[in-house]
Amino acid sequence: MPTYEYECTVCGHAFEQFQSITAPPVKQCPVCRKKVRRLIGGGSALLFKGSGFYITDYRSKGYQEKSSQEKKDQEAKIDAKPESKTEVKTETKNKPKPTK
């Protein structure tokens, strides 16, 4: 719900009113009970707080279960791969130490 700004045409009292878009505008000043006019506001910034702002936050439970199962299947495939049978053997030759 937006916040609207109002100003009294008689006493000059300025105030803000938090109301829905479909609500009728305020007609009288809370101080002197005279006529008010609604001001054009500069708007406000959008603040994205909390979860729900990423596409992954709204995934259905079925999608999440399927995704986690696919992930487990991939991990099982990786674990089940046979090790390579070719072994690389390296031999080190003893080199004589240089004498001083």
Side-chain angles (χ1 to χ4, degrees):
M1 289 200 309
T3 302
Y4 293 100
E5 296 178 30
Y6 292 92
E7 183 180 50
C8 180
T9 56
V10 177
C11 71
H13 175 69
F15 62 98
E16 295 178 344
Q17 184 67 37
F18 184 70
Q19 56 189 152
S20 71
I21 294 172
T22 58
V26 176
K27 299 205 184 260
Q28 49 179 286
C29 176
V31 176
C32 68
R33 304 283 183 213
K34 301 293 180 182
K35 187 177 178 181
V36 296
R37 64 183 175 125
R38 187 162 69 182
L39 304 174
I40 297 173
S44 63
L46 292 173
L47 299 175
F48 296 106
K49 292 184 178 181
S51 65
F53 297 104
Y54 296 98
I55 195 163
T56 55
D57 289 345
Y58 290 111
R59 296 290 187 180
S60 67
K61 193 167 234 167
Y63 178 87
Q64 291 173 351
E65 290 170 358
K66 184 179 176 187
S67 176
S68 66
Q69 184 60 42
E70 286 176 356
K71 196 174 197 179
K72 288 177 186 175
D73 291 345
Q74 286 178 350
E75 289 173 356
K77 282 182 184 178
I78 292 170
D79 291 341
K81 279 188 180 179
E83 292 295 320
S84 175
K85 291 187 179 183
T86 57
E87 293 181 20
V88 178
K89 291 184 180 181
T90 58
E91 293 182 20
T92 57
K93 294 181 181 179
N94 293 333
K95 291 183 181 179
K97 292 184 182 178
T99 58
K100 290 184 182 179

